[in-house]
Amino acid sequence: MAAPQGGLSMVSPSSFDPTRVEATTENPEYTARMRWLSGMIAAISAGAGVAAVFMTENQAGTAALLAIGAYFAITTLLGRFPRLKLGENEIDPSEFRAIKKTVVATTTGLAETKDQLQEARAQADEKIEQIESEVSDLNERVARAFLSSMSEPMWQNLAKLGEGNFGHYVMSKGLDRELRYLRDIGYIDVQSVAQIPEEGDSLSDWVSVTKTGRDFIALRKEIARADARSNC
């Protein structure tokens, strides 16, 4: 019987050679359930191939059925997928195992990388939180140092001016010096310290607190309240 062009190399039952189905110890092993299923496929394929010998003239189909039956019969006996050669072509099931191992290894590697990235992110978040806390503490210490740099008498006078009703005053050398300093750093607004009368009913008639001065007053009072709460 002549082989059709482009067909399988096994073209008739008489030309089928089972030795062309090669088994290697590198191929994946069957489970019991898979072996049973392979036996069923072998029996059905072989039976259909034998029947086709007598009932049809399709030689290529008959050879294919017998080849399939032989392949699965050998598989059932060996308990593993054998290597299969069809002419110049070869099917090696062990390659599927290698591919599976590669996929599993890649998936595992990606999972490990994801875990490492999550751990690194958690560590980075913790470090950022620590730095923010340290910066906040530093800012608070700087603010305390700055707000506390003003002497208590000067602070009391600035606070009274901030209320808008300083009350009676006597222009002493100390008060004159404080007013000039507060004017120079932008905390009060006064046309001329030298023109303020030596004594009067309210210093607020001559001096007003600027926005910068009001902000300073508010911050220092806030620090004082925080200290009072911490001491309770």
Side-chain angles (χ1 to χ4, degrees), residues 185-208:
I185 62 177
Y187 285 0
I188 63 173
D189 186 15
V190 55
Q191 185 173 0
S192 173
V193 175
Q195 294 181 359
I196 299 176
E198 294 293 328
E199 185 175 355
D201 294 332
S202 179
L203 186 60
S204 297
D205 294 340
W206 302 92
V207 181
S208 61

Side-chain angles (χ1 to χ4, degrees), residues 16-79:
F16 172 69
D17 186 0
T19 61
R20 301 185 67 178
V21 179
E22 300 178 0
T24 67
T25 56
E26 299 177 354
N27 295 327
E29 293 186 355
Y30 263 3
T31 63
R33 186 172 182 179
M34 292 174 65
R35 177 175 287 188
W36 177 86
L37 180 60
S38 177
M40 290 293 296
I41 295 174
I44 294 173
S45 299
V50 171
V53 171
F54 302 100
M55 299 176 62
T56 181
E57 294 182 358
N58 187 346
Q59 300 174 358
T62 301
L65 286 172
L66 291 174
I68 292 172
Y71 178 79
F72 281 98
I74 294 174
T75 301
T76 304
L77 293 174
L78 296 178

Side-chain angles (χ1 to χ4, degrees), residues 8-230:
L8 296 173
S9 60
M10 296 174 289
V11 297
S12 68
S14 59
S15 63
F16 172 69
D17 186 0
T19 61
R20 301 185 67 178
V21 179
E22 300 178 0
T24 67
T25 56
E26 299 177 354
N27 295 327
E29 293 186 355
Y30 263 3
T31 63
R33 186 172 182 179
M34 292 174 65
R35 177 175 287 188
W36 177 86
L37 180 60
S38 177
M40 290 293 296
I41 295 174
I44 294 173
S45 299
V50 171
V53 171
F54 302 100
M55 299 176 62
T56 181
E57 294 182 358
N58 187 346
Q59 300 174 358
T62 301
L65 286 172
L66 291 174
I68 292 172
Y71 178 79
F72 281 98
I74 294 174
T75 301
T76 304
L77 293 174
L78 296 178
R80 58 180 176 269
F81 287 106
R83 181 181 298 166
L84 178 63
K85 286 186 177 180
L86 298 176
E88 298 299 326
N89 300 316
E90 180 178 356
I91 300 175
D92 189 355
S94 62
E95 296 179 358
F96 296 104
R97 171 186 283 181
I99 294 173
K100 180 179 179 181
K101 287 183 177 179
T102 302
V103 172
V104 171
T106 302
T107 304
T108 303
L110 290 174
E112 292 176 353
T113 302
K114 179 181 178 181
D115 293 340
Q116 292 173 355
L117 290 175
Q118 290 178 342
E119 182 178 356
R121 179 178 178 180
Q123 293 176 352
D125 290 343
E126 182 179 355
K127 190 64 177 179
I128 291 173
E129 184 177 351
Q130 179 182 353
I131 293 174
E132 289 177 346
S133 177
E134 292 175 354
V135 170
S136 177
D137 292 342
L138 178 61
N139 288 338
E140 183 177 353
R141 289 196 296 270
V142 171
R144 285 179 177 275
F146 170 72
L147 294 172
S148 301
S149 63
M150 183 179 291
S151 66
E152 188 63 24
M154 186 183 297
W155 156 246
Q156 293 296 335
N157 287 334
L158 179 61
K160 289 172 64 177
L161 287 170
E163 294 173 356
N165 186 18
F166 187 91
H168 182 268
Y169 71 94
V170 176
M171 183 61 70
S172 63
K173 290 183 179 180
L175 181 58
D176 182 276
R177 185 169 55 252
E178 289 177 0
L179 291 176
R180 292 179 186 276
Y181 174 77
L182 292 173
R183 179 197 61 189
D184 292 342
I185 62 177
Y187 285 0
I188 63 173
D189 186 15
V190 55
Q191 185 173 0
S192 173
V193 175
Q195 294 181 359
I196 299 176
E198 294 293 328
E199 185 175 355
D201 294 332
S202 179
L203 186 60
S204 297
D205 294 340
W206 302 92
V207 181
S208 61
V209 177
T210 63
K211 181 180 183 303
T212 302
R214 290 195 298 271
D215 291 341
F216 179 89
I217 293 171
L219 287 173
R220 179 146 179 170
K221 286 182 176 180
E222 183 179 346
I223 292 293
R225 288 192 296 268
D227 290 342
R229 288 193 298 270
S230 62

